[in-house]
Amino acid sequence: MPTLEESTSLVLASASPRRRDLLSQLGLRFTIAAADIDETPLPGEAADVYVLRLAREKARTVAERFPGTWVLAADTTVALGTELLGKPSSPTEAREMLTQLSGRTHAVYTGVALAGRAQESMVVRTGVTFRTLSAGEIDWYANTGEPLDKAGAYGMQGKGSFLVSGIEGSPTNVIGLPLGETLELLMRAGVPTPWRGP
């Protein structure tokens, strides 16, 4: 059976370095254990339903490996209208996504789920507006490699920050984990924080 790091009882069910870094900003101690699940959307599945389903499944899967702990999981997707934009498989696909997003407002949805000692879940939505991008800007950014592991083919916290002209809602949600809302969820469940012990 996997073992937890000393003095931790919170497991982050994600291999995402962005989620790891964001959660670390709260001063929490946690162990990382990625969940390996099928992330294919179901036919006609809405963005909020999709991310919540995956977050719950990730949390439940990892919780089975770490009994007696809290397991936190998240899943993020970009939605342009009813179309879900996942991670591009190539620079060509990244260019296509960025061209679609140029000059328009889209929604970023993150499902967050806690399983194990407590069961909690939620979905957070943030509106993001892109500048109108030139073909040269799109081509340059697509070729940086940054879009290839990110939903919607961009990272607001990296080189892709120049794409965004405005946001409405949680900025950390766009990066992959809405910190304020996640903290409230953890506190409701009784997860110890640096300023409030068990």
Side-chain angles (χ1 to χ4, degrees):
M1 178 171 295
T3 58
L4 290 173
E5 293 179 8
E6 186 178 357
S7 302
T8 67
S9 55
L10 176 64
V11 179
L12 176 62
S14 175
S16 165
R18 295 171 294 281
R19 292 197 181 108
R20 177 197 64 211
D21 292 347
L22 286 168
L23 195 59
S24 294
Q25 289 177 26
L26 295 177
L28 298 169
R29 291 176 55 82
F30 56 91
T31 296
I32 295 172
D36 183 17
I37 65 168
D38 182 0
E39 299 189 12
T40 306
L42 301 176
E45 192 170 29
D48 57 342
V49 176
Y50 169 66
V51 295
L52 188 59
R53 175 175 65 84
L54 291 194
R56 286 173 171 169
E57 189 174 339
K58 289 176 181 179
R60 187 167 51 248
T61 298
V62 173
E64 292 172 356
R65 294 158 47 198
F66 293 92
T69 66
W70 290 279
V71 176
L72 180 70
D75 192 82
T76 301
T77 196
V78 168
L80 186 60
T82 58
E83 183 179 2
L84 304 187
L85 302 180
K87 298 174 183 177
S89 59
S90 66
T92 298
E93 190 176 358
R95 286 186 201 95
E96 292 170 357
M97 289 186 185
L98 294 166
T99 300
Q100 284 182 276
L101 296 172
S102 175
R104 302 173 71 181
T105 299
H106 61 272
V108 177
Y109 291 90
T110 299
V112 182
L114 189 69
R117 293 189 189 180
Q119 309 291 324
E120 294 274 355
S121 60
M122 64 180 179
V123 176
V124 177
R125 178 192 183 280
T126 301
V128 181
T129 302
F130 266 25
R131 297 171 45 246
T132 299
L133 307 173
S134 69
E137 288 173 318
I138 291 173
D139 200 49
W140 174 82
Y141 183 61
N143 286 321
T144 65
E146 185 175 88
L148 296 183
D149 68 339
K150 297 172 179 63
Y154 75 98
M156 193 180 76
Q157 74 283 9
K159 299 179 181 72
S161 59
F162 82 95
L163 306 168
V164 178
S165 63
I167 68 167
E168 182 180 353
S170 166
T172 55
N173 184 47
V174 184
I175 300 171
L177 189 68
L179 277 187
E181 294 86 347
T182 298
L183 179 60
E184 290 177 7
L185 182 148
L186 294 174
M187 292 179 69
R188 281 200 308 270
V191 177
T193 63
W195 56 91
R196 186 189 71 176

